[in-house]
Amino acid sequence: PRLHIVGPLMWRGREQPAPWLNDGDTQPLIYVTLSSTVETQSVLIKIIDALRDAPYNVVVSTGNVSLPPDLQLPSHIRIFSIVPGAAVVRRSRLVFHHGGHETLMQALAAGVPSLLLPMNPDQILVAQQAQALGVGHNLRRPTDLPFGTTTMHQLTPTQIRHEVDRLIADRECLNVCETFKRRLETCAGADLAAQVLEEIAQAHTE
Protein backbone atom coordinates (compact mmCIF):
# COMPACT_ATOMS: atom_id res chain seq x y z
CA PRO A 1 0.00 0.00 0.00
CA ARG A 2 2.95 2.38 0.35
CA LEU A 3 4.26 1.69 -3.16
CA HIS A 4 2.85 3.60 -6.14
CA ILE A 5 3.91 2.80 -9.70
CA VAL A 6 3.17 5.86 -11.82
CA GLY A 7 5.09 5.08 -15.00
CA PRO A 8 8.03 6.86 -16.61
CA LEU A 9 8.97 10.42 -15.72
CA MET A 10 10.29 11.88 -18.94
CA TRP A 11 12.66 14.70 -17.98
CA ARG A 12 12.74 17.60 -20.44
CA GLY A 13 15.04 20.00 -18.63
CA ARG A 14 17.35 20.32 -21.65
CA GLU A 15 14.64 20.34 -24.29
CA GLN A 16 15.92 22.62 -27.05
CA PRO A 17 15.67 22.68 -30.84
CA ALA A 18 18.52 21.61 -33.11
CA PRO A 19 18.18 24.07 -36.02
CA TRP A 20 21.45 22.90 -37.59
CA LEU A 21 19.80 19.59 -38.54
CA ASN A 22 18.73 19.68 -42.17
CA ASP A 23 15.09 18.70 -42.63
CA GLY A 24 15.80 17.93 -46.27
CA ASP A 25 18.39 15.23 -45.55
CA THR A 26 17.38 11.84 -46.91
CA GLN A 27 20.28 9.93 -45.36
CA PRO A 28 19.57 8.21 -42.03
CA LEU A 29 20.95 10.06 -39.00
CA ILE A 30 23.00 8.25 -36.36
CA TYR A 31 23.43 9.92 -32.98
CA VAL A 32 26.51 8.86 -30.99
CA THR A 33 26.84 9.72 -27.30
CA LEU A 34 28.98 7.91 -24.73
CA SER A 35 29.81 8.52 -21.10
CA SER A 36 32.85 10.56 -20.07
CA THR A 37 35.17 7.76 -18.99
CA VAL A 38 38.87 7.33 -19.67
CA GLU A 39 38.23 4.86 -22.49
CA THR A 40 35.63 6.98 -24.30
CA GLN A 41 38.08 8.86 -26.52
CA SER A 42 39.50 5.73 -28.13
CA VAL A 43 36.01 4.28 -28.63
CA LEU A 44 34.72 7.48 -30.25
CA ILE A 45 37.68 7.45 -32.65
CA LYS A 46 36.87 3.85 -33.59
CA ILE A 47 33.22 4.75 -34.19
CA ILE A 48 34.20 7.72 -36.34
CA ASP A 49 36.58 5.51 -38.34
CA ALA A 50 33.82 2.93 -38.75
CA LEU A 51 31.40 5.49 -40.19
CA ARG A 52 33.80 7.46 -42.42
CA ASP A 53 32.46 5.89 -45.59
CA ALA A 54 28.99 5.02 -44.32
CA PRO A 55 25.86 6.29 -46.12
CA TYR A 56 24.62 8.00 -42.96
CA ASN A 57 24.76 11.43 -41.39
CA VAL A 58 26.39 11.25 -37.97
CA VAL A 59 26.16 13.55 -34.94
CA VAL A 60 28.65 12.86 -32.14
CA SER A 61 28.27 14.37 -28.68
CA THR A 62 31.59 14.19 -26.80
CA GLY A 63 30.66 15.77 -23.45
CA ASN A 64 33.88 16.69 -21.69
CA VAL A 65 35.96 14.21 -23.72
CA SER A 66 38.47 15.79 -26.09
CA LEU A 67 39.23 14.35 -29.50
CA PRO A 68 42.63 14.80 -31.19
CA PRO A 69 42.78 18.21 -32.90
CA ASP A 70 44.25 16.65 -36.04
CA LEU A 71 41.42 14.12 -36.40
CA GLN A 72 40.21 14.32 -40.00
CA LEU A 73 36.43 14.35 -40.31
CA PRO A 74 34.33 13.75 -43.42
CA SER A 75 31.53 16.22 -44.03
CA HIS A 76 28.75 13.83 -42.97
CA ILE A 77 30.17 13.47 -39.41
CA ARG A 78 29.63 16.43 -37.09
CA ILE A 79 31.17 16.73 -33.61
CA PHE A 80 29.68 18.71 -30.71
CA SER A 81 30.46 18.77 -27.01
CA ILE A 82 26.78 19.02 -26.05
CA VAL A 83 23.63 18.73 -28.15
CA PRO A 84 19.89 18.91 -27.32
CA GLY A 85 19.66 15.16 -26.96
CA ALA A 86 15.89 14.68 -27.22
CA ALA A 87 15.66 16.80 -30.38
CA VAL A 88 18.53 14.93 -32.06
CA VAL A 89 17.17 11.53 -31.02
CA ARG A 90 13.78 12.32 -32.59
CA ARG A 91 15.51 12.89 -35.92
CA SER A 92 17.70 9.79 -35.64
CA ARG A 93 17.37 6.34 -37.12
CA LEU A 94 19.73 4.85 -34.53
CA VAL A 95 21.24 5.98 -31.22
CA PHE A 96 24.69 4.57 -30.39
CA HIS A 97 25.15 5.03 -26.65
CA HIS A 98 26.53 3.66 -23.40
CA GLY A 99 23.30 2.45 -21.82
CA GLY A 100 22.56 5.56 -19.79
CA HIS A 101 18.97 5.42 -18.55
CA GLU A 102 18.07 8.92 -19.75
CA THR A 103 19.42 8.30 -23.25
CA LEU A 104 17.57 5.01 -23.54
CA MET A 105 14.32 6.64 -22.42
CA GLN A 106 14.80 9.40 -25.00
CA ALA A 107 15.28 6.72 -27.65
CA LEU A 108 12.19 4.79 -26.54
CA ALA A 109 10.07 7.96 -26.46
CA ALA A 110 11.15 8.65 -30.06
CA GLY A 111 10.74 5.05 -31.24
CA VAL A 112 14.43 4.78 -32.16
CA PRO A 113 16.56 1.59 -31.76
CA SER A 114 19.66 1.68 -29.54
CA LEU A 115 23.11 0.24 -30.19
CA LEU A 116 24.52 -0.13 -26.70
CA LEU A 117 28.10 -0.30 -25.45
CA PRO A 118 27.76 -0.17 -21.64
CA MET A 119 30.76 0.55 -19.43
CA ASN A 120 29.51 0.55 -15.82
CA PRO A 121 27.35 -1.98 -13.91
CA ASP A 122 24.16 0.11 -14.03
CA GLN A 123 24.61 0.62 -17.78
CA ILE A 124 25.20 -3.11 -18.24
CA LEU A 125 21.82 -3.83 -16.62
CA VAL A 126 20.10 -1.23 -18.81
CA ALA A 127 21.69 -2.67 -21.96
CA GLN A 128 20.76 -6.23 -21.03
CA GLN A 129 17.16 -5.22 -20.42
CA ALA A 130 17.02 -3.24 -23.68
CA GLN A 131 18.18 -6.25 -25.66
CA ALA A 132 15.78 -8.55 -23.81
CA LEU A 133 12.89 -6.24 -24.70
CA GLY A 134 13.99 -6.10 -28.31
CA VAL A 135 14.57 -2.33 -28.44
CA GLY A 136 18.31 -2.49 -29.15
CA HIS A 137 21.46 -4.55 -29.60
CA ASN A 138 23.96 -4.94 -26.76
CA LEU A 139 27.59 -5.02 -27.95
CA ARG A 140 28.98 -6.08 -24.57
CA ARG A 141 29.71 -9.80 -24.26
CA PRO A 142 28.24 -11.72 -21.30
CA THR A 143 31.76 -12.92 -20.38
CA ASP A 144 33.04 -9.37 -19.76
CA LEU A 145 33.51 -8.47 -16.11
CA PRO A 146 31.74 -5.46 -14.56
CA PHE A 147 33.88 -2.38 -15.15
CA GLY A 148 35.84 -4.46 -17.68
CA THR A 149 36.53 -2.90 -21.05
CA THR A 150 37.43 -6.03 -23.00
CA THR A 151 34.70 -5.58 -25.62
CA MET A 152 35.51 -1.90 -26.05
CA HIS A 153 39.18 -2.55 -26.71
CA GLN A 154 38.64 -5.51 -29.02
CA LEU A 155 35.92 -3.98 -31.19
CA THR A 156 37.26 -2.96 -34.58
CA PRO A 157 35.85 -0.25 -36.88
CA THR A 158 34.80 -3.02 -39.28
CA GLN A 159 32.83 -4.78 -36.54
CA ILE A 160 31.24 -1.50 -35.44
CA ARG A 161 30.16 -0.71 -39.01
CA HIS A 162 28.69 -4.20 -39.32
CA GLU A 163 26.66 -3.77 -36.12
CA VAL A 164 25.41 -0.34 -37.19
CA ASP A 165 24.32 -1.64 -40.59
CA ARG A 166 22.70 -4.68 -38.98
CA LEU A 167 20.61 -2.61 -36.59
CA ILE A 168 19.66 -0.08 -39.28
CA ALA A 169 18.26 -3.00 -41.29
CA ASP A 170 16.50 -4.63 -38.31
CA ARG A 171 12.84 -3.88 -39.04
CA GLU A 172 11.64 -6.03 -36.15
CA CYS A 173 13.60 -3.93 -33.65
CA LEU A 174 12.24 -0.74 -35.22
CA ASN A 175 8.68 -2.04 -34.94
CA VAL A 176 9.16 -2.89 -31.26
CA CYS A 177 10.58 0.60 -30.62
CA GLU A 178 7.62 2.20 -32.36
CA THR A 179 5.30 0.17 -30.13
CA PHE A 180 7.13 1.47 -27.05
CA LYS A 181 6.80 5.01 -28.39
CA ARG A 182 3.02 4.66 -28.67
CA ARG A 183 2.83 3.24 -25.16
CA LEU A 184 4.91 6.07 -23.71
CA GLU A 185 2.72 8.64 -25.46
CA THR A 186 -0.21 7.43 -23.36
CA CYS A 187 1.68 7.59 -20.07
CA ALA A 188 1.29 10.46 -17.65
CA GLY A 189 3.87 9.50 -15.04
CA ALA A 190 4.56 13.05 -13.85
CA ASP A 191 0.85 13.86 -13.52
CA LEU A 192 0.18 10.65 -11.60
CA ALA A 193 3.18 11.24 -9.33
CA ALA A 194 1.95 14.76 -8.55
CA GLN A 195 -1.51 13.41 -7.80
CA VAL A 196 -0.13 10.77 -5.41
CA LEU A 197 2.05 13.36 -3.62
CA GLU A 198 -0.91 15.70 -3.23
CA GLU A 199 -3.03 12.89 -1.79
CA ILE A 200 -0.27 11.98 0.67
CA ALA A 201 0.17 15.60 1.71
CA GLN A 202 -3.58 16.02 2.13
CA ALA A 203 -3.80 12.86 4.25
CA HIS A 204 -1.09 14.18 6.60
CA THR A 205 -2.87 17.50 7.11
CA GLU A 206 -6.20 15.96 8.04
Side-chain angles (χ1 to χ4, degrees):
R2 299 181 65 184
L3 175 65
H4 301 271
I5 298 177
V6 299
L9 304 180
M10 301 301 294
W11 185 62
R12 293 181 173 87
R14 294 180 187 150
E15 185 75 10
Q16 298 175 10
W20 37 266
L21 289 176
N22 186 353
D23 290 331
D25 266 333
T26 58
Q27 300 283 25
L29 176 65
I30 296 175
Y31 174 38
V32 179
T33 175
L34 301 177
S35 64
S36 300
T37 64
V38 175
E39 297 85 5
T40 298
Q41 185 193 73
S42 62
V43 178
L44 285 175
I45 292 173
K46 282 186 180 182
I47 294 171
I48 291 169
D49 286 342
L51 300 176
R52 283 186 179 279
D53 300 319
Y56 315 121
N57 290 315
V58 182
V59 169
V60 180
S61 174
T62 60
N64 60 7
V65 175
S66 298
L67 293 176
D70 58 346
L71 183 65
Q72 298 296 313
L73 294 173
S75 60
H76 67 281
I77 298 180
R78 304 181 69 179
I79 308 293
F80 301 89
S81 57
I82 298 175
V83 301
V88 177
V89 168
R90 284 194 296 269
R91 294 283 302 278
S92 300
R93 179 61 180 78
L94 181 154
V95 182
F96 194 153
H97 64 100
H98 58 293
H101 187 265
E102 179 186 350
T103 306
L104 179 63
M105 291 304 297
Q106 288 176 341
L108 290 178
V112 178
S114 293
L115 187 59
L116 301 117
L117 185 57
M119 306 179 191
N120 297 327
D122 61 308
Q123 298 164 2
I124 294 171
L125 294 175
V126 169
Q128 290 172 343
Q129 185 70 359
Q131 179 156 304
L133 292 171
V135 297
H137 295 176
N138 182 9
L139 295 181
R140 190 182 186 90
R141 293 192 302 260
T143 54
D144 283 351
L145 296 173
F147 293 110
T149 57
T150 306
T151 297
M152 294 169 57
H153 289 317
Q154 293 185 352
L155 273 176
T156 67
T158 300
Q159 290 170 326
I160 292 171
R161 172 67 186 275
H162 170 76
E163 294 295 338
V164 169
D165 291 343
R166 187 167 73 97
L167 186 51
I168 288 283
D170 190 338
R171 297 298 305 179
E172 182 177 353
C173 181
L174 180 61
N175 291 338
V176 174
C177 290
E178 290 176 344
T179 299
F180 267 85
K181 176 186 177 182
R182 292 192 294 271
R183 290 175 60 185
L184 287 173
E185 287 172 344
T186 65
C187 292
D191 293 338
L192 290 175
Q195 178 182 331
V196 170
L197 291 172
E198 288 173 351
E199 291 172 355
I200 293 172
Q202 182 64 32
H204 281 278
T205 58
E206 295 176 351

